[in-house]
Amino acid sequence: MKRIVLGLLAATALSVSAFAADDKPAVIYDLGGKFDKSFNEAAFNGAEKYTADSGVKYREFEIQNEAQREQALRKFASDGNSPIVIAGFSAAAAIEKVAAEFPDTKFVIIDAVVEKPNVRSVVFNDNEGSYLVGVIAAKSSKTGTVSFIGGMDVPLIRNFACGYVGGVKATNPEAKVIQNMTGDTPAAWNDPAKGGEIAKSQMDQGSDVIFAAAGGTGIGVLQAAADADKLAIGVDSNQNGLHPGKVLTSMLKRVDVATYNAFKDAADGKFTAGVNVLGVKEAGVDYAADDNNAKLLTDDVKKAVESAKADIISGKIKVHNYNTDNACPYK
């Protein structure tokens, strides 16, 4: 009997060891780098949490140009890494090509849909989270003028802007919303100086709350608003702590959870391909409340945004998604 038990234990240890050996996750960050305090850093945080929880290390790569997306994907896949998470809609063409070449490798793309049997596509209802921070902006503005600064002018970011305008207008129909995009190339994601310049221009037009959905460029927006004693709204990661008391809130986009779940699901043998849509109901997007902005979120503001949040979850409020028709009905 003792031999049988020892044999079972040995077999179990061997299978666990083999399973761990197959657990070789990797993550590829988009332009702007993993420490952009925003989108990429959220993916990094998810990967770090997985390592902290499991003890399994991951590989990573920060692309410096467009061509490196495909190169990094192919390199990691060739080395046996799986799952491979890549952040950013711009990776769609690369992952579609490489996923076909490595059908046994699991891939995850965030912010785009790639229909392959070995690809999980994670997309967020950014419009819903942006609606919530729009409510907060409208309730907090003293001038009645708020604004939005996007990174690269693409439908994804137009969806943020549309949701934001929707939340503002639902709260204060007379409010004015100024909108600007940083540029139409990937460089727009990592230009803090230009972000600061646009923010100053908007503040000169009366804006006292600025929502930046612009990756690393947004860091310059937050800085300019803080310097002018105005309020800014962060994005993707919780950016409230960058300028405590000056960042009104942050529109949380749980890229960290998407990355963590991809790694864990693969390790647990529960990985599924297909499209995952994460909105307010799924806790995929939200607004950030912590000690850094506690004094800014008054009871009146919290009541309004929590009411809007409940109505989105129940379906009473349906926030328009710009991606469905490339249009925004909120004026």
Side-chain angles (χ1 to χ4, degrees):
M1 183 66 180
K2 189 175 182 179
R3 287 181 180 178
I4 293 174
V5 172
L6 289 173
L8 287 171
L9 288 172
T12 301
L14 182 61
S15 64
V16 170
S17 176
F19 197 63
D22 290 336
D23 191 9
K24 298 172 64 178
V27 60
I28 300 170
Y29 307 105
D30 205 356
L31 294 169
K34 68 178 179 179
F35 293 128
D36 63 354
K37 304 294 183 185
S38 187
F39 182 76
N40 286 315
E41 193 157 339
F44 167 72
N45 289 336
E48 283 289 287
K49 185 178 189 304
Y50 177 74
T51 293
D53 289 353
S54 67
V56 176
K57 294 183 178 180
Y58 62 93
R59 294 178 71 188
E60 61 181 1
F61 184 75
E62 299 177 71
I63 68 166
Q64 303 299 317
N65 57 61
E66 301 286 329
Q68 288 183 340
R69 289 191 183 91
E70 185 176 326
Q71 294 167 3
L73 282 166
R74 187 171 287 107
K75 171 62 177 172
F76 282 161
S78 298
D79 290 348
N81 290 103
S82 183
I84 303 170
V85 174
I86 188 162
F89 66 91
S90 297
I95 204 168
E96 186 159 357
K97 184 175 181 180
V98 178
E101 296 173 14
F102 296 88
D104 295 327
T105 300
K106 300 175 179 66
F107 296 88
V108 179
I109 183 167
I110 297 173
D111 267 354
V113 174
V114 173
E115 295 181 351
K116 294 289 182 183
N118 55 334
V119 177
R120 173 183 290 183
S121 303
V122 182
V123 292
F124 295 84
N125 286 339
D126 303 309
N127 51 315
E128 294 180 354
S130 298
Y131 185 99
L132 295 181
V133 300
V135 171
I136 294 173
K139 294 292 288 185
S140 303
S141 175
K142 295 177 181 178
T143 65
T145 298
V146 301
S147 55
F148 175 86
I149 297 176
M152 186 176 174
D153 191 356
V154 289
L156 175 77
I157 299 302
R158 291 279 175 181
N159 197 35
F160 278 87
C162 185
Y164 180 63
V165 175
V168 171
K169 292 292 187 176
T171 307
N172 178 9
E174 302 303 316
K176 179 182 178 182
V177 185
I178 304 167
Q179 299 182 55
N180 294 104
M181 297 292 175
T182 304
D184 55 10
T185 70
W189 300 120
N190 195 27
D191 194 343
K194 188 169 184 180
E197 291 171 5
I198 297 172
K200 291 173 185 175
S201 173
Q202 292 182 342
M203 289 185 287
D204 287 344
Q205 298 173 66
S207 176
D208 59 351
V209 181
I210 308 173
F211 177 29
T217 297
I219 302 302
V221 176
L222 269 59
Q223 182 67 61
D227 289 345
D229 200 28
K230 304 298 182 184
L231 296 172
I233 297 174
V235 75
D236 296 338
S237 296
N238 185 349
Q239 298 181 322
N240 296 356
L242 295 181
H243 301 281
K246 296 298 181 184
V247 179
L248 179 58
T249 187
S250 297
M251 198 291 270
L252 298 177
K253 180 170 177 172
R254 301 311 300 270
V255 175
D256 56 335
V257 174
T259 303
Y260 180 92
N261 287 348
F263 284 6
K264 191 172 190 308
D265 288 350
D268 292 345
K270 298 178 180 179
F271 183 91
T272 56
V275 181
N276 286 8
V277 181
L278 304 178
V280 169
K281 187 175 182 179
E282 297 78 20
V285 294
D286 206 342
Y287 70 96
D290 57 23
D291 290 343
N292 294 303
N293 68 338
K295 293 181 179 179
L296 300 174
L297 298 183
T298 65
D299 289 342
D300 186 43
V301 171
K302 287 187 286 188
K303 182 179 179 181
V305 72
E306 284 298 319
S307 176
K309 184 175 176 180
D311 285 347
I312 290 173
I313 292 172
S314 72
K316 183 178 179 180
I317 292 178
K318 296 186 183 301
V319 185
H320 182 76
N321 190 318
Y322 180 91
N323 296 301
T324 61
D325 58 3
N326 287 331
C328 185
Y330 310 118
K331 303 298 181 182

